[in-house]
Amino acid sequence: TDRKKLHTAPVGQVFRLRPFHVLVATGGGYAGYRKYEDYKLEQLEKRGIEVPAKLAREWEVALYKSVPTRLLSRAWGRLNQVELPTWLRKPVYSLYIWTFGVNMKEAAVEDLHHYRNLSEFFRRKLKPQARPVCCLHSVISPSDGKILNFGQVKNCEVEQVKGVTYSLESFLGPRVSTEELHFSQAPPGNSFQQQLVTKEGNELYHCVIYLAPGDYHCFHSPTDWRVSHRRHFPGSLMSVNPGVARWIKELFCHNERVVLTGDWKHGFFSLTAVGATNVGSIRIYFDQDLHTNSPCYSKGSYNDFSFISNNNKEGIPMRKGEHLGEFNLGSTIVLIFEAPKDFKFHLKAGQKIRFGEALGSL
């Protein structure tokens, strides 16, 4: 008689399984499984064993995209901006440095207590002498990273990694008006690739650079050129590490990206910053109207902005090595440009590269 009475609610009221919970749990679990598969693949590559690409099926891509990566990335962005107590900064940043192999001796400010939050630490500047810009070659690496692929564009298809491609037109979107790019009009019957090539005897080239979380997160102008147009594609924020790029065809076309197009001395030139998980923020320094990973934009659309106006007929001039933009965490840079047939890359697939080093020249 002295025992207390326990009142319990029906099981259905205590735990109600909802479709959203199922999607998050299933998608998150599957993403974890893919991470483990990527790890095993990396170990095989380190041993020199080449593994053929195994492409994801449609249901696998749909399941991965069901994970609310855009929402999670926005939450991660807000968390990064929370100011850390001074006593906590060194332990947190030291763990990140140890995990991703960050070289803080290159940072303009080596004192970890200087960075108030994770966002400031991710966007840390380098010492001026840490990345000398190569003056002997016409195109340099715009960022630190790993070379995933490079070469000529063929049949309107671009390789994101060896053997896995994506559509050039799907990636860049409809061609920008010739008035903005100062180009002559291509014959209407030509393919999308041929329309981008403006000078006879030229070819279209591409280069894909993957930025790991431990890399320097800013990117710079890879050559002397003029930026005439910006196209922003809202989209998914799936991981873009080499394992996933080998698994999902047209990964870069699924993900959010910012395409800058213009011209250099040899014709068409473009630089695309591709977003990824926890990289909801892509910033272009001269473009204050750009807002990425915003809920006001829907997937499958794109929005354009022209830097050509009545007051500015030339667009935005960029010098080789000049600061261009930044990510909040590692991601991918894709260069697609026109050049004469004797243009040569000075690269090897899979090599590590640093901002300022040579990509190629004539």
Side-chain angles (χ1 to χ4, degrees), residues 100-113:
F100 297 108
V102 179
N103 184 5
M104 283 302 293
K105 291 183 179 179
E106 297 177 332
V109 180
E110 296 184 40
D111 182 13
L112 298 180
H113 296 102

Side-chain angles (χ1 to χ4, degrees), residues 325-361:
E326 63 188 32
F327 295 110
N328 263 347
L329 205 60
S331 194
T332 298
I333 295 286
V334 180
L335 301 179
I336 298 175
F337 58 93
E338 173 185 0
K341 290 182 178 180
D342 56 351
F343 181 87
K344 300 294 182 184
F345 284 102
H346 305 288
L347 303 171
K348 292 181 180 179
Q351 79 171 71
K352 291 288 291 183
I353 198 167
R354 304 201 303 176
F355 155 63
E357 294 179 346
L359 280 186
S361 61

Side-chain angles (χ1 to χ4, degrees), residues 172-285:
L172 296 178
R175 188 165 180 255
V176 180
S177 67
T178 54
E179 289 78 7
E180 288 189 28
L181 297 181
H182 310 284
F183 293 162
S184 58
Q185 181 66 47
N190 287 2
S191 68
F192 183 81
Q193 177 178 336
Q194 291 171 326
Q195 290 177 24
L196 295 180
V197 177
T198 63
K199 298 180 180 179
E200 187 176 353
N202 281 3
E203 297 287 347
L204 206 61
Y205 297 86
H206 75 100
C207 182
V208 182
I209 306 170
Y210 166 68
L211 289 74
D215 288 327
Y216 169 55
H217 293 335
C218 296
F219 51 94
H220 301 245
S221 176
T223 192
D224 296 333
W225 64 307
R226 295 178 300 174
V227 184
S228 304
H229 186 270
R230 179 258 293 162
R231 177 168 286 156
H232 171 215
F233 289 86
S236 301
L237 288 172
M238 295 184 283
S239 172
V240 293
N241 74 53
V244 177
R246 188 182 289 107
W247 179 54
I248 298 180
K249 183 179 174 64
E250 298 203 334
L251 171 64
F252 299 154
C253 297
H254 289 293
N255 272 17
E256 181 156 15
R257 59 198 181 279
V258 177
V259 182
L260 300 178
T261 54
D263 62 292
W264 69 319
K265 60 183 178 180
H266 299 297
F268 174 80
F269 198 97
S270 73
L271 180 148
T272 302
V274 183
T277 307
N278 295 335
V279 195
S281 174
I282 302 171
R283 183 183 174 194
I284 305 297
Y285 294 138

Side-chain angles (χ1 to χ4, degrees), residues 76-151:
W76 175 252
R78 291 183 180 178
L79 180 63
N80 287 350
Q81 295 173 5
V82 174
E83 184 169 344
L84 296 175
T86 305
W87 62 269
L88 189 59
R89 294 174 188 176
K90 189 171 183 178
V92 170
Y93 301 148
S94 296
L95 177 61
Y96 186 91
I97 291 168
W98 176 79
T99 303
F100 297 108
V102 179
N103 184 5
M104 283 302 293
K105 291 183 179 179
E106 297 177 332
V109 180
E110 296 184 40
D111 182 13
L112 298 180
H113 296 102
H114 168 79
Y115 302 100
R116 295 173 298 177
N117 51 49
L118 284 166
S119 183
E120 286 189 1
F121 179 72
F122 293 147
R123 296 181 286 106
R124 64 192 175 276
K125 304 300 181 184
L126 298 182
K127 295 173 181 174
Q129 67 274 19
R131 297 289 187 276
V133 175
C134 177
C135 299
L136 301 177
H137 297 82
S138 53
V139 184
I140 62 169
S141 175
S143 66
D144 290 5
K146 178 181 180 181
I147 301 296
L148 293 189
N149 215 298
F150 62 93

